[in-house]
Amino acid sequence: MSDLIKRSLSLSGHRTSVALEPEFWAVLDTMAATRQQSFASLVASLDATRDPERPLASALRVAALMHLQKSIRASD
C-alpha cells in the first residue's frame, strides 16, 4: 500500500489538510490541468458540491475515479 501524502489548503476561509495516496493526487492534478484551473480551485469546487455527510478525502477519491472512468469511456 502506498503511503499517504498530506496536502494543506484553505477552503471556505479555513485551513484544512487532506491525506490521500499519491495516485489520487496525480489524478486530481491532471483534473485541474484538464479543466484549466488551479488545484485549490478544483478542490474548492469539489468541496462545495459534495454531500456534507461525505468526508472531503472520500469526495476527492470518488471525483478522481469518476474522472478516470470518463477518460476511459472517451477513449473507447
Side-chain angles (χ1 to χ4, degrees), residues 43-57:
V43 175
S45 67
L46 294 171
D47 181 50
T49 59
R50 72 181 165 96
D51 180 338
E53 297 296 315
R54 181 183 295 265
L56 179 59

Side-chain angles (χ1 to χ4, degrees), residues 7-68:
R7 290 194 186 178
S8 297
L9 53 134
S10 291
L11 291 174
S12 303
H14 68 278
R15 297 290 294 170
T16 190
S17 61
V18 179
L20 296 176
E21 296 78 5
E23 296 84 358
F24 283 108
W25 288 126
V27 174
L28 292 166
D29 287 335
T30 299
M31 283 177 66
T34 300
R35 296 178 182 190
Q36 297 181 329
Q37 62 186 142
S38 69
F39 180 79
S41 175
L42 172 70
V43 175
S45 67
L46 294 171
D47 181 50
T49 59
R50 72 181 165 96
D51 180 338
E53 297 296 315
R54 181 183 295 265
L56 179 59
S58 176
L60 295 177
R61 285 185 180 99
V62 169
L65 177 61
M66 291 173 60
H67 176 78
L68 290 176

